[in-house]
Amino acid sequence: MNPSQKTGPTDTVLRKAGRGDLLPIARGNAMSAGACDNAFDDCDRAAVYRAIFTRRDIRSDFVSEPIDDAVLARLIRAAHHAPSVGFMQPWNFIVIRDMGRREKVRDLFLSARMQEEAKIAEDRKELYRRLRLEGICESALNICITCDRDRANGSPLGRWHNPEMDLFSTVCAVQNFWLAARAEGVGVGWVSILDQSALKALLDIPDHVVPVAYLCVGRVSDFAPVPELQRKNWRQRLPLADLVMSECFGVSSDNSLARAIDGLAEDWPGS
Amino acid sequence: MNPSQKTGPTDTVLRKAGRGDLLPIARGNAMSAGACDNAFDDCDRAAVYRAIFTRRDIRSDFVSEPIDDAVLARLIRAAHHAPSVGFMQPWNFIVIRDMGRREKVRDLFLSARMQEEAKIAEDRKELYRRLRLEGICESALNICITCDRDRANGSPLGRWHNPEMDLFSTVCAVQNFWLAARAEGVGVGWVSILDQSALKALLDIPDHVVPVAYLCVGRVSDFAPVPELQRKNWRQRLPLADLVMSECFGVSSDNSLARAIDGLAEDWPGS
């Protein structure tokens, strides 16, 4: 794309056109007005926050309904538009539908969970056992999002000091997928209780590729108002003000920002 | 929160009320209708995709304009609502405004960049030198988002097999921050060319805490239509169809999904 195009209209919005197709409509020229005009209008901004606040890690609320390939394609494209270090786009998306394979992944989960349970503090074991932690076979499909660590061979921009940045880029793709899925009414659950080398063997993943996220994806009966682990008293949400620091680690936030945090309206259940 | 609340209205939408405050308005009861009713309406869904597709890694387009603390508080809250393994919420947010400290961080960047440049392939060094890779002192403020690896001591749910999951949770918080910032018209740039131990010393970050992301945050003149590294020919966007696989790594996507990917409208410049 020619750099001169940068001076053209840069902000567009999708509107429904005809049979559910999304088409771009120009929405003013961001260059012609002040910087604040780069902000979305209130409704669009609220929609983004709505996706962020109502996204859930789904385990038990999947319903037996397929996902349209058109929807799945949009979710994968959203993931593909994540930021990536040196624009290396290290991700792949393995879509797993075969129930035999999914049952094998669930077996991996079950055995990993048993190993993890042994490490959980005695007084929390009972609660741990009651938690539902995956929907591998109940969801419409699974997706493994991987990171190809060799993709930027020869031009490792931004990875010399922090080689894990490609893994982090892949996680950004996961979060894009997750938020887009929320907007589409599709639930996502991230299964992290899996032995990585066993999973790699099961999905023929080569040595230089890391399975960053194993996701269960499907329609759901409900997006619960608060995270399941909060509702089941595994852990409560931490007070935001305690997490914000000023200039250096451990130094309380400055007064003005602290007041702004205190003044945040509770827009969403559990927020 | 009582589990019975789960059966109440679960979907709300923010609407502007009075002086810019965002208040929740009930929007029907998701339990009373089919699963697809969990999807956002077309406009809200488009707003989420708009944030995803028009988000940019900002380096050179910052303008000298402050960020309201109310906006900053909203962005940090959005980050705090990221998914986290075992709901451990491992993040902290260090807001850095002091120019003296930022100049020291920029010095770290400059020396790290020189080290990295030595590793770049000969035929790309000239282009590498021309790339703008940070806006540490030009942005309104910097934020370091950290991961406290000890936060879930005694209940490491979901981390026995994959201990890096807490870092990945923190990256999800970064991506939430980034997308919310796009909706607020605020630019974000992730500086990954930094020596982590030197950065930790400068920000008094203790041993058990990892500085996952160092972000430059500020108002911008423009969100460019395509990523800067793409525009400057460092790398092009990979064709999405090549990245999608079916059942196992290396197996081309099934025909139906491949067709759906081919059929995606080019909704956004560069998408």
Side-chain angles (χ1 to χ4, degrees):
Chain A
M1 183 165 274
N2 190 307
S4 68
Q5 288 184 251
K6 219 183 141 195
T7 57
T10 58
D11 235 1
T12 55
V13 64
L14 298 174
R15 292 288 173 215
K16 192 172 167 67
R19 301 175 47 194
D21 300 322
L22 293 168
L23 293 173
I25 293 174
R27 203 188 210 185
N29 186 330
M31 292 298 284
S32 64
C36 275
D37 284 4
N38 289 314
F40 290 8
D41 68 27
D42 288 341
C43 284
D44 282 4
R45 192 162 53 105
V48 174
Y49 282 121
R50 184 182 168 210
I52 287 170
F53 291 139
T54 66
R55 179 210 51 76
R56 290 290 168 265
D57 197 335
I58 305 291
R59 292 99 181 261
S60 47
D61 296 320
F62 288 112
V63 296
S64 60
E65 199 178 311
I67 302 281
D68 282 353
D69 281 325
V71 173
L72 182 58
R74 289 202 292 270
L75 301 185
I76 292 173
R77 180 174 60 169
H80 187 38
H81 281 256
S84 64
V85 63
F87 201 47
M88 73 182 278
Q89 309 156 72
W91 39 70
N92 284 97
F93 307 90
I94 313 174
V95 179
I96 300 140
R97 303 177 196 262
D98 180 71
M99 195 51 80
R101 185 168 285 102
R102 285 156 68 176
E103 282 166 358
K104 285 181 188 155
V105 175
R106 192 179 51 186
D107 288 346
L108 291 185
F109 164 82
L110 290 171
S111 102
R113 181 187 167 120
M114 212 178 310
Q115 290 173 315
E116 182 167 272
E117 187 188 310
K119 310 297 171 189
I120 298 290
E122 258 336 294
D123 61 342
R124 313 200 78 190
K125 269 197 211 303
E126 169 66 26
L127 176 53
Y128 180 88
R129 265 183 233 116
R130 283 205 312 269
L131 297 173
R132 182 69 201 267
L133 298 172
E134 54 77 40
I136 296 167
C137 294
E138 297 75 20
S139 51
L141 52 89
N142 299 172
I143 291 191
C144 184
I145 304 188
T146 61
C147 175
D148 181 344
R149 310 213 65 180
D150 288 351
R151 192 157 291 166
N153 271 349
S155 52
L157 192 159
R159 286 183 61 213
W160 178 249
H161 297 82
N162 297 295
E164 73 284 6
M165 278 301 297
D166 55 352
L167 301 173
F168 292 176
S169 300
T170 306
V171 174
C172 290
V174 173
Q175 185 64 0
N176 269 10
F177 185 98
W178 214 332
L179 292 170
R182 178 61 193 90
E184 299 274 7
V186 171
V188 173
W190 183 332
V191 185
S192 64
I193 303 175
L194 287 171
D195 176 81
Q196 204 175 81
S197 57
L199 181 66
K200 285 180 75 159
L202 202 54
L203 303 180
D204 288 345
I205 296 175
D207 284 347
H208 66 285
V209 175
V210 174
V212 168
Y214 193 88
L215 305 178
C216 307
V217 180
R219 296 282 172 196
V220 296
S221 57
D222 187 24
F223 288 88
V226 295
E228 195 166 328
L229 291 181
Q230 180 177 354
R231 192 163 48 87
K232 293 191 172 162
N233 288 316
W234 180 259
R235 219 167 241 283
Q236 294 308 305
R237 189 174 295 281
L238 300 173
L240 181 53
D242 296 353
L243 303 174
V244 183
M245 299 163 174
S246 181
E247 300 299 333
C248 282
F249 195 91
V251 179
S252 296
S253 178
D254 57 89
N255 283 337
S256 164
L257 179 58
R259 275 195 304 272
I261 290 169
D262 281 346
L264 286 167
E266 185 155 330
D267 297 311
W268 300 96
S271 69
Chain B
M1 183 165 270
N2 190 308
S4 67
Q5 289 184 250
K6 220 183 139 195
T7 56
T10 57
D11 236 3
T12 55
V13 63
L14 298 175
R15 291 288 174 219
K16 193 172 167 63
R19 301 173 49 193
D21 302 320
L22 293 169
L23 293 173
I25 293 174
R27 202 184 207 186
N29 186 330
M31 292 297 286
S32 64
C36 275
D37 285 5
N38 290 314
F40 290 7
D41 67 28
D42 288 339
C43 285
D44 282 5
R45 191 161 56 106
V48 173
Y49 282 121
R50 183 183 168 210
I52 287 171
F53 292 139
T54 66
R55 180 210 50 77
R56 290 291 169 263
D57 197 336
I58 305 291
R59 293 100 182 262
S60 48
D61 295 320
F62 288 111
V63 296
S64 59
E65 198 178 311
I67 302 281
D68 283 352
D69 281 325
V71 174
L72 181 58
R74 289 201 293 270
L75 300 184
I76 293 173
R77 181 175 57 171
H80 187 37
H81 281 256
S84 64
V85 63
F87 201 47
M88 73 181 277
Q89 309 157 72
W91 38 71
N92 284 97
F93 307 91
I94 313 174
V95 179
I96 299 140
R97 303 178 196 261
D98 180 71
M99 196 50 83
R101 184 169 286 103
R102 285 156 68 177
E103 282 166 356
K104 284 180 189 156
V105 175
R106 192 178 51 187
D107 288 347
L108 291 185
F109 164 81
L110 290 171
S111 103
R113 182 187 165 119
M114 212 177 310
Q115 290 173 314
E116 183 167 272
E117 187 188 309
K119 311 298 170 187
I120 299 291
E122 261 332 297
D123 60 342
R124 310 200 80 190
K125 270 197 211 303
E126 169 67 25
L127 176 53
Y128 180 86
R129 267 182 230 116
R130 284 205 311 270
L131 296 173
R132 182 70 202 266
L133 298 173
E134 53 78 39
I136 296 167
C137 294
E138 297 74 20
S139 51
L141 52 90
N142 299 173
I143 291 191
C144 184
I145 303 188
T146 61
C147 175
D148 181 343
R149 310 212 67 182
D150 288 350
R151 193 157 291 165
N153 271 349
S155 51
L157 193 160
R159 286 183 61 213
W160 178 249
H161 297 82
N162 297 294
E164 72 284 5
M165 279 301 296
D166 56 352
L167 301 173
F168 292 177
S169 301
T170 306
V171 174
C172 289
V174 173
Q175 186 64 0
N176 269 11
F177 185 98
W178 213 333
L179 292 170
R182 178 62 193 89
E184 299 273 7
V186 171
V188 173
W190 183 332
V191 184
S192 64
I193 303 175
L194 288 171
D195 176 80
Q196 205 177 81
S197 57
L199 181 66
K200 285 181 75 158
L202 202 54
L203 303 181
D204 289 344
I205 296 175
D207 283 349
H208 66 285
V209 175
V210 175
V212 168
Y214 193 89
L215 305 178
C216 307
V217 180
R219 296 283 172 194
V220 297
S221 58
D222 188 26
F223 288 88
V226 296
E228 194 166 328
L229 292 180
Q230 180 177 353
R231 190 161 50 87
K232 294 191 171 162
N233 288 316
W234 181 259
R235 220 166 240 284
Q236 294 309 305
R237 189 174 294 282
L238 300 173
L240 182 53
D242 295 354
L243 303 176
V244 183
M245 299 163 172
S246 181
E247 299 300 331
C248 283
F249 196 92
V251 179
S252 297
S253 179
D254 56 89
N255 283 338
S256 166
L257 179 58
R259 274 195 305 273
I261 290 169
D262 282 347
L264 285 167
E266 185 156 330
D267 298 311
W268 299 96
S271 70

